[in-house]
Amino acid sequence: MSLDPTADSARRSKTEAPAAVDVAIIGAGLGGLMAGARLAKAGLRVALFESHYVAGGCATQFRRRGEGGFYHFDVGLHYIGDCEEGGGIPRILDQVGVKLRYRPMDQQGFDVLKFPGLTFPTPVGHDAYEKRLLETFPSEQPAIAKYLRFLREVDHVVRYQDKREGPPDLRMAWEVLRHGRMVMRYMQKPIAAVLEDCRLSPRARGVVLGPHGDYGLPPSRVSALLHAGLVNHYLHGAYYPEGGGQVIADRLAATIEEAGGVILLRRPIAQIVVEGGRAVGIRTEATKRTPATEVRAKAVLSNADLKKTWLELLEPGSLGEQARQQADAWEMAGALFMTCLGVRGDLRELGMSDANYWIFDTFDIESVYRDCMEAERARIRGIYVTSASLKDPGTQGHAPDGYQTLEIMTLVPGQPGVWGVPSADATTWSYRHDEAYAQAKQHAEDQVLAMAEEHFPGLGARIVYQESATPLTHARFTRASGGTGYGLACTPEQFMRGRPGYRGPVPGLYQCGASTRAGHGIVGALRSGSQAAQRLAKDLGVSL
């Protein structure tokens, strides 16, 4: 299998917009693609409109020419969990007939957490994880047992609900009462409250919070249930899809087209057309390639940034004042800085494996956010390191022969001012050539590479290609509020029922994606698309 992220870009960029469809979908991220696949296979006429030149949203790759040939870098899909047969992600994709192969990462340490004086490889399985924690912190048996009880209770409740595939009801409430006492106790609390009640030591807290970068919030702000759900997701197995980080998006897009749907790239949306208080279509922006076009639809589904959908894409006056105030008040999750490297030789010679490496200069994760997210310039106190070349060695094209790819990410502020860019210029591409932006970007990149070199000596001498992306880069390609790929912050107030559902604020408008009730990440986006399609189809009188 070889890689070509833009194989279908030219054709889809030239596709002519239909005058009318059953469902117009804004945004071809995984949520929109999953919804489009379910709806198209049910016989509905579906058209997806995407401003980027590749379908897939954050689950895409990009290609760069460097020493030896081409390098392909993952944007947002670096690993996924629960992919064993019958697992969460395969079960969702089975709904539209998409079958993939998933390569398991190191079962004894898929996440390697590196702190001052301590390295902790996270194994697959709750029992193995508990045993590893006890081996590392032998004096904290009661605290660790209580924390694992919380994880297991959340896992039981979530998996019970997934098997039912319906809205919560009295049976679900009874199941929580029987097997989820801690779930009930911490339903509206942050994970910091759980760890405090468990009485874990500061060092043990740092370890159990290690993969916090997967949701971009400090322990005092992130929902306890979200944290537990994410940890459980990977304890059921950590995987990388064979074929690269864009393969899920490519398979879903192909499924849509095979079922008669169309995907139109480089087609940003200017407005959702509302008539008589109901969404009846979309209007595209005029670009250098295509004129503005209006497409009528029986229903509109937005997989675009939810805040922008409500506040910018809906026509003025369509959104009630209460809903407008709600959208204005939404808090976004943290943003990321990413450095992509082409490296000569084999990274295993530097001690790397197919694991992820989470590296921090402190066990105090709360202080990481305080220092990183409130700084006037990017201050790097932790990095995430991963290599598609090592996770997917059977796929040709991640890098030229004799070379490998490496991606390094870190939490940073998303405000344009931190990057030397006035807010008014952040929506354009011109800032990329500003000296202030270049300096701010270089300042962050230097810190990232220095921390990576400290833990993997010799890495710098092997680098033959490097390129970095800021939150402004992310916002430029995905039009995401705050430059975050995580959508609404998963605080206790903005989790579960505190998040928007799949029916939008006006009739005829539906929504999916990272900010909706299914949550963020690959599994959240896929589930959101599936759930949104189900509600939309029901309202149109169509069976899925």
Side-chain angles (χ1 to χ4, degrees), residues 438-455:
Q439 290 179 358
K441 187 175 178 179
Q442 189 65 55
H443 175 69
E445 186 179 275
D446 289 345
Q447 294 177 77
V448 165
L449 294 178
M451 185 171 279
E453 178 70 23
E454 179 184 352
H455 289 269

Side-chain angles (χ1 to χ4, degrees), residues 94-291:
D94 278 348
Q95 295 173 349
V96 292
V98 170
K99 304 287 185 182
L100 299 174
R101 297 181 65 178
Y102 306 93
R103 297 189 63 91
M105 296 169 63
D106 190 337
Q107 301 289 289
Q108 296 304 312
F110 62 89
D111 275 343
V112 178
L113 312 174
K114 297 171 74 71
F115 298 92
L118 175 65
T119 296
F120 184 92
T122 304
V124 170
H126 288 79
D127 291 345
Y129 182 49
E130 183 173 18
K131 181 181 178 182
R132 182 73 51 83
L133 285 171
L134 288 170
E135 291 170 349
T136 308
F137 306 104
S139 65
E140 300 188 48
Q141 191 277 333
I144 291 169
K146 188 172 183 178
Y147 175 66
L148 264 294
R149 176 189 161 196
F150 176 63
L151 292 184
R152 289 184 173 111
E153 281 194 13
V154 173
D155 193 46
H156 174 82
V157 170
V158 169
R159 292 175 90 78
Y160 176 83
Q161 174 64 20
D162 281 351
K163 289 177 182 178
R164 294 181 62 256
E165 295 186 349
D169 57 13
L170 289 176
R171 284 182 298 172
M172 182 68 192
W174 175 241
E175 192 69 18
V176 173
L177 283 171
R178 292 175 60 214
H179 301 290
R181 300 288 180 86
M182 293 185 76
V183 173
M184 293 179 62
R185 187 183 311 161
Y186 297 106
M187 190 172 291
Q188 294 298 322
K189 293 185 179 181
I191 190 60
V194 178
L195 303 184
E196 183 67 27
D197 290 350
C198 290
R199 298 186 179 181
L200 285 167
S201 69
R203 286 164 62 90
R205 291 187 195 190
V207 168
V208 301
L209 291 168
H212 62 89
D214 282 340
Y215 46 72
L217 286 173
S220 64
R221 296 291 297 136
V222 69
S223 160
L225 300 191
L226 181 278
H227 166 88
L230 182 136
V231 173
N232 289 330
H233 180 63
Y234 291 111
L235 287 180
H236 285 293
Y239 301 82
Y240 184 81
E242 189 172 298
Q246 194 175 307
V247 66
I248 296 177
D250 284 347
R251 297 288 178 83
L252 287 173
T255 299
I256 291 169
E257 292 179 332
E258 289 165 5
V262 294
I263 298 172
L264 301 97
L265 302 178
R266 301 183 185 271
R267 305 295 174 89
I269 300 301
Q271 206 158 61
I272 297 168
V273 179
V274 177
E275 295 177 358
R278 181 180 183 83
V280 297
I282 56 92
R283 186 176 301 113
T284 66
E285 290 181 6
T287 70
K288 294 179 179 179
R289 296 175 176 83
T290 56

Side-chain angles (χ1 to χ4, degrees), residues 26 30 63 116 192 204 227 274 318 323 325 329 411 417 542:
I26 305 171
L30 288 186
R63 178 170 65 177
H227 166 88
V274 177
S318 300
Q325 290 178 4
L411 289 156
V542 175

Side-chain angles (χ1 to χ4, degrees), residues 290-309:
T290 56
T293 304
E294 184 170 308
V295 179
R296 308 291 288 187
K298 295 176 182 177
V300 176
L301 171 61
S302 180
N303 183 217
D305 178 89
L306 199 60
K307 199 162 189 170
K308 291 184 183 274
T309 297

